[in-house]
Amino acid sequence: MESSSVIETVEGTNGTAKKDNSPASNESISNEGPASKKVKLDDTGSRKVDSRDKGVARIRPEFLLPKPSNTTVSVEPDDDDAEAGGTKRKKERGQNKNRRFAKARETVKFCEALKDGDGTCRFGKDCKFEHDVQKYISSKPADLEGTCPVFDAIGYCPSGLKCRWLHSHYLAEAGKVVVDEEKKGTAGREINRIDRDTQNTLQKKKFPVPKSDKILPYLDSLKEHDMVANDGSKQGTETKDNEDQDKKDLAATYVEPPFLASEKKPLNLHHAKILSPLTTVGNLPFRRLCRWFGADVTYSEMALALPILQGSKSEWALPRSHTSEIPGFGVQIAASKPWQAVKATEVLTTACDTGIGGIQDVNLNCGCPIDLIYRSGAGSALLDSGSKLIRMLKGMNYVSGEVPVTVKIRMGTRDSHPSAKKLVARFVTEGDVAAITLHGRSRQQRYTRVADWDYISETAQVVKDLYEARDDKDKEQRERRKVWFVGNGDCYSWHDWWDAVENYNVDSVMIARGALIKPWIFEEIDARQYLDKSATERLDMIRKFAQFGLEHWGTDEYGINNCRRFLCEFLSFSCRYVPVGILEVLPPKIQDRPPMWKGRNELETLLGSSDYRDWIKISEMFLGPAHESFDFKPKHKSNAYEAEG
């Protein structure tokens, strides 16, 4: 190992900032990992200076494995899965298209209204589900060993009689489900739900959106009489005075003036540790895990505006959050038309059960690169429609009340024509957004090549220059708050994060894949040191995710199947982590791929496996044996290789 590259200090305590005293489920693992190490980088220079082999993570020789035979398929992850989901790109990339996930079915289907051991079914004898408790319990498979993780955490189990750990909170003689009222009263809960009546109102298109009804005609007038081109230049017209007067007349019809961004609930993103909106893996349990590791701000998975307006149950599951995420939880939406974005914003900020307390900001996605979103005119397609994008943000700002509006963009749609600087200048000048996040890649680039942090820095300087040059005599400009500017792309270590905030003009850095691979990156940022987590610590992190997942999806067979599926999705990223203790060169780079390696013990080797069957094996440590109907198909065929016989 190159002794001049890093300084390692072994500490007597582990690297985990928070401890969990609940019983661990990994007692069967006999080979304990080494004590956690904090590895501190000696060189704090620019991220451009790097002597390593390009694209290769250098492993210490004693942990290298022989090169695999020709019959073994190597894994080449496609990082479009991180922030964007699936994509219809080249077939040779090896994705499993059209994945299907089997759902567990009960032999005897019990009535949902009676699952708590009491209650009344409103259908009575006409109900098609079973009402006989003993018959249902006898039809269930044997309970799983141990205590119900959900009951142990929050004092009751929402799955009731359907729980696979029923014996731990059911008094069979009394026919009663046990509830610990004291623990239940202090436990966190999920918020931003909508009730069935609200959902039905949305489905019938009867949900009131009075603010949207006022602002949309005005936005339409801006479309018809837009005086500013997409590139920011003025368009000449002979009827400019008349058109300006028309817009003023229409604006004068408003009963209530819109909030300026400076009048809304303030955001504070200065050096905030931000988790990016992530598709599939950025679910509520994963966000809770990142909060547990120290994230300050989290975002929902990208929700499509139209299904939100249609009351889609699956889409409304995305804005749901946990009280541990408050304050600092934002909802991201994607829309192709102004009316969709505006109405969805008003619905989200009024229908959620906690109002502005449950949503910190509404974020408009203008960076999603996948074809399905782009071709519909949403996501990164909005980067080529600057005037439409401005109208969307203006309308969202009007209807969101005190909830600020933020935006996430890419450099542009094409490598040769970055447009972010001009767009950002318009965002700041218009004053309708509270924060801007720039991902340092184009839509064309996707996740190939490293993020362009020089361009991010130049764009951040545009924001800074606009504020320094603004007229102090202009009251409206003077009262506007600073627009936060956040960078995004390739942040995989505390060194990357601090390098960005100290040397690239940004207020903070939004972390995406780095958190998927090692969620404790937020701890590292606070400590300004690498945390060499032992295998047992990482396994405990997986146990924590499983606990949060069971609280969210339920402890019945269906919920366990869901939890197992999303745990495997999480492991498809976390298996890419190479422990810093076996690396020869630091800092680690997210684009680097290691040769075949083995861990410092068998458990560490297992956690680094890219075979999906090993992910299922890991899930069984906390969720019990996989149901015979469970069939997890990984996103990449290379993760589904057959073992050599």
Side-chain angles (χ1 to χ4, degrees), residues 542 545-546 562-571 619 623:
I542 296 170
F545 177 93
N562 258 349
C563 186
R564 196 187 308 275
R565 178 247 165 139
F566 286 103
L567 176 56
C568 288
E569 300 280 13
F570 170 39
L571 292 173
S619 77
L623 303 176

Side-chain angles (χ1 to χ4, degrees), residues 35-94:
S36 287
K37 300 177 183 178
K38 291 185 177 181
V39 186
K40 188 170 184 178
L41 190 68
D42 193 29
D43 179 18
T44 58
S46 169
R47 63 179 68 195
K48 299 189 188 75
V49 180
D50 197 341
S51 61
R52 77 187 71 202
D53 298 331
K54 185 176 181 180
V56 177
R58 288 170 55 181
I59 305 294
R60 292 161 72 176
E62 60 266 35
F63 298 104
L64 288 173
L65 292 174
K67 290 185 178 180
S69 65
N70 294 333
T71 58
T72 302
V73 182
S74 61
V75 178
E76 288 294 336
D78 181 358
D79 282 324
D80 279 333
D81 295 324
E83 290 184 89
T87 176
K88 297 181 180 178
R89 296 186 69 199
K90 299 177 182 178
K91 292 183 179 179
E92 60 266 26
R93 291 183 76 93

